[in-house]
Amino acid sequence: MRVELIKTYKSVHTWTGILAGLFLYIAFVAGALTMFKGPLNQWALQPGTTLPSISIDQYDSLISEVLQAHPEAAKQMTVQLPLAGLQTAPVSWEIEDEETHDHTLWYASFNEKGELITQSFTVSAIGEFVDHLHRTAGIPGGEGHDAFGTYVLGVVAALYFVALISGLIVFLPTWFKDLLVLRKGKNRKRYWLDFHNVLGITSLPFHLIIAFTAFVFAFHDPLYGALRVAVYGDSPMFTRPAPAEVKSFSELVPVTELEAAIQKGEPKFQMAEILYLNLDTRAPRMRVGGIMHGEVVRGAEYGYVLGNPYQREIPYSSFLPSNLNGYSGAVMSFFSLHFGSFGGNAVRWVYFILGIMGALIFLTGNILWIESRRKKRRGQGTLPVQTTSSMVMARLTVGVGLGTILGIAASMLAVKWLPHAQVDIEFWQRAAYYTGFLFALIWAFIRRPMAAARQLLAFCIATIFLIPISSLIKGDLLGAATQVWAVDFVALLIGTSFVLLLVHLRKRQTKIEADSVWSEFVEKPVIESSIQDPLPDTHPQASG
């Protein structure tokens, strides 16, 4: 391959990676943790924010009594069955204030005497908050599909895809020579390049899938909008059932019969939740979510069935594995591959590891960029010198890298200790995250990069180990009471890794070269970077 072409692809890989790296780091760390979204939500529950669970044969009576006592629940009501990931209450619904448009969540269950009890409270849903960070990189503005950060990450995903392809092309000439090679020695640039390549090559298919699907998810609504205008015109994109007569709530298909009807076509389907919509109108709907072990499914946790809650005959659904065709099969595969929702807990742990590896790819890419610039500027004077861009990148790498971890850990502690019934817990979990993140970012710009890294690591270690300590104090260490052992286990795993990293950094403190941005010397003369600065040479063959 021509040298000029290799240099072009190196430039593309470098700058797309630099522009996208820090956003993707946040998305990958949060994405790895969303593999345990259900346990996270359950871990954060408090006695005042749960109602008693009930047996499966009580659900029909509970649904009937809720609709009779609170007919407003017919607009949108969620039923959480025993297999659901979050056991807050068997039934919940939302009421919107017509004047303020504020939403209030209500929950219902039976007490020990079999009497209906209802209560309004706020659940932290820390798992959903971490998922929001994953989809937006923590960029404020908007909610759901309209969140500003979602569109930013869509653009970032496109850059990410370009960086992957260009990086692969750059690596191809030395594929057999450098594949899975990790060379330690005095040449730090070579070491970081090898580490970066090993991480990237071993998880390349995963990253290609994530990059493509993240772009499609981010621009899902605009793409469908353009398709509706350009292709369908006045014709509907989706066929909707004809309006029917308004039914009595007593005619709802019983829960047990509903599952049996679905299992005629999908024997593996284990019902976990039901979402009822518009039960008192001529267009009632339901969405049934179920666990399907080992199957490719549409959702992050469940496969879904859509239908009419008053009809025992379950209609054809392209969301079910048995009904897949070429198009729906491809779409469902993309969803499942992005969410890691196939293969059960084993695949979730694999995706967690791949997510952490992805975050490390972006960190090593930044370090490699810094080391490449240092090598090019060596010998320009007797004093160690740094470019402004190298110092800023080092500080951003430290601040964003550790600030993301510190912020998430602080948010988890906030929802564990603050009384959900007395405070706006959703506000405080956001406030805790941004406080931790911004503190780390500011601290990284106040202190020298390596000093800031060690000090912030100590902050992170203390905060992370408070998570299992909080579980111990609350009486559910490693999920003894709530079966959410994965949360405490991951906290212990990350905390221990950070301890080892801190020990390593202290050992290397005296071995860092004086011309490195990681040096502990006082501030040096700074060479201002400019647009004409040479691009870093990251090709293995050019390394000294």
Side-chain angles (χ1 to χ4, degrees):
M1 191 176 293
R2 293 172 54 189
V3 175
E4 294 81 4
L5 191 60
I6 287 290
K7 287 185 177 180
T8 299
Y9 279 114
K10 279 193 292 184
S11 299
V12 172
H13 178 73
T14 297
W15 291 109
T16 51
I18 289 297
L19 291 172
L22 293 175
F23 294 106
L24 289 170
Y25 172 85
I26 300 172
F28 267 77
V29 169
L33 295 177
T34 59
M35 293 295 102
F36 310 105
K37 183 164 67 172
L40 274 170
N41 286 334
Q42 198 70 23
W43 178 86
L45 288 179
Q46 297 181 353
T49 57
T50 58
L51 293 181
S53 58
I54 59 175
S55 61
I56 190 68
D57 58 358
Q58 291 180 291
Y59 273 88
D60 294 320
S61 297
L62 178 60
I63 292 170
S64 176
E65 291 194 29
V66 166
L67 290 172
Q68 290 177 13
H70 302 275
E72 66 276 9
K75 184 177 181 181
Q76 181 173 323
M77 181 173 65
T78 302
V79 177
Q80 297 287 339
L81 297 163
L83 289 179
L86 180 61
Q87 296 295 328
T88 306
V91 172
S92 62
W93 67 96
E94 191 174 68
I95 298 177
E96 180 180 1
D97 188 291
E98 295 181 358
E99 296 182 359
T100 64
H101 297 289
D102 291 334
H103 292 80
T104 304
L105 277 168
W106 283 85
Y107 299 86
S109 184
F110 287 140
N111 60 18
E112 295 179 355
K113 298 179 180 179
E115 299 169 336
L116 177 66
I117 52 174
T118 59
Q119 188 176 343
S120 175
F121 49 77
T122 302
V123 178
S124 74
I126 184 68
E128 273 66 30
F129 175 67
V130 173
D131 186 47
H132 178 76
L133 295 178
H134 166 61
R135 291 182 287 104
T136 65
I139 300 171
E143 294 291 338
H145 292 297
D146 295 325
F148 176 68
T150 300
Y151 295 114
V152 172
L153 271 191
V155 175
V156 167
L159 295 174
Y160 171 32
F161 189 84
V162 173
L164 289 170
I165 298 301
S166 57
L168 178 61
I169 292 173
V170 169
F171 186 73
L172 283 176
T174 58
W175 177 281
F176 294 104
K177 176 185 174 183
D178 296 328
L179 183 64
L180 305 182
V181 173
L182 189 60
R183 288 159 285 204
K184 294 184 179 180
K186 294 182 179 180
N187 189 340
R188 302 303 295 174
K189 177 191 168 185
R190 169 75 75 175
Y191 170 76
W192 286 112
L193 180 61
D194 286 343
F195 191 24
H196 183 75
N197 287 339
V198 167
L199 290 171
I201 291 299
T202 54
S203 56
L204 181 62
F206 169 77
H207 287 278
L208 289 172
I209 291 166
I210 296 299
F212 177 75
T213 53
F215 175 82
V216 173
F217 292 164
F219 295 104
H220 176 275
D221 290 346
L223 287 172
Y224 266 116
L227 189 64
R228 183 179 292 109
V229 173
V231 179
Y232 289 88
D234 296 332
S235 302
M237 288 183 64
F238 303 103
T239 303
R240 298 186 180 277
E245 295 181 1
V246 177
K247 299 282 187 176
S248 168
F249 297 146
S250 61
E251 298 180 66
L252 283 171
V253 178
V255 170
T256 52
E257 291 185 23
L258 183 60
E259 183 172 41
I262 297 172
Q263 287 180 342
K264 287 181 180 179
E266 289 290 349
K268 290 186 177 181
F269 193 95
Q270 296 177 284
M271 203 158 58
E273 71 170 22
I274 308 170
L275 174 64
Y276 291 114
L277 298 168
N278 305 320
L279 293 179
D280 55 352
T281 70
R282 297 181 64 193
R285 290 179 293 154
M286 69 173 178
R287 188 192 70 188
V288 185
I291 297 172
M292 301 190 68
H293 294 296
E295 296 289 341
V296 174
V297 296
R298 182 69 176 262
E301 296 177 272
Y302 306 135
Y304 290 107
V305 174
L306 308 180
N308 187 321
Y310 295 102
Q311 294 180 356
R312 285 171 169 75
E313 189 69 26
I314 302 301
Y316 164 87
S317 174
S318 61
F319 286 174
L320 293 177
S322 62
N323 295 330
L324 296 183
N325 54 37
Y327 172 76
S328 62
V331 171
M332 191 175 293
S333 296
F334 286 140
F335 275 88
S336 191
L337 287 170
H338 185 95
F339 295 139
S341 54
F342 60 96
N345 289 331
V347 171
R348 292 189 180 278
W349 279 103
V350 170
Y351 265 57
F352 171 76
I353 294 171
L354 289 172
I356 297 300
M357 288 174 61
L360 291 176
I361 286 176
F362 308 122
L363 287 184
T364 55
N366 288 357
I367 294 172
L368 181 58
W369 185 84
I370 293 167
E371 290 296 314
S372 297
R373 286 202 157 199
R374 175 165 71 105
K375 183 178 179 181
K376 285 186 175 292
R377 292 192 176 277
R378 252 182 188 164
Q380 293 187 2
T382 56
L383 287 175
V385 293
Q386 307 298 337
T387 64
T388 300
S389 57
S390 294
M391 290 298 292
V392 169
M393 179 56 69
R395 287 182 161 126
L396 282 173
T397 300
V398 171
V400 173
L402 294 176
T404 302
I405 304 295
L406 184 61
I408 292 175
S411 182
M412 290 177 63
L413 290 176
V415 302
K416 192 69 171 179
W417 286 100
L418 291 177
H420 298 186
Q422 300 174 23
V423 301
D424 183 351
I425 195 61
E426 291 184 351
F427 167 81
W428 285 107
Q429 70 184 9
R430 289 194 300 269
Y433 169 79
Y434 288 110
T435 299
F437 180 84
L438 292 175
F439 166 76
L441 193 59
I442 293 169
W443 193 258
F445 276 84
I446 292 175
R447 305 287 292 168
R448 293 282 297 181
M450 183 55 74
R454 291 199 312 272
Q455 292 157 3
L456 289 173
L457 268 173
F459 275 115
C460 286
I461 290 167
T463 308
I464 291 169
F465 278 127
L466 281 175
I467 292 173
I469 290 173
S470 298
S471 293
L472 178 63
I473 295 173
K474 295 286 187 177
D476 55 5
L477 182 64
L478 297 181
T482 59
Q483 303 302 315
V484 289
W485 62 271
V487 176
D488 296 308
F489 178 77
V490 169
L492 291 169
L493 188 65
I494 295 175
T496 303
S497 300
F498 277 20
V499 169
L500 296 176
L501 178 58
L502 181 58
V503 171
H504 172 73
L505 292 182
R506 290 191 182 279
K507 287 181 179 180
R508 278 201 53 81
Q509 183 176 351
T510 58
K511 299 179 182 180
I512 298 175
E513 296 88 344
D515 62 341
S516 171
V517 295
W518 311 109
S519 171
E520 293 296 321
F521 287 89
V522 296
E523 291 290 340
K524 322 290 193 312
V526 174
I527 293 180
E528 295 292 338
S529 61
S530 65
I531 297 176
Q532 288 76 32
D533 281 344
L535 292 171
D537 189 356
T538 59
H539 194 289
Q541 293 179 330
S543 301

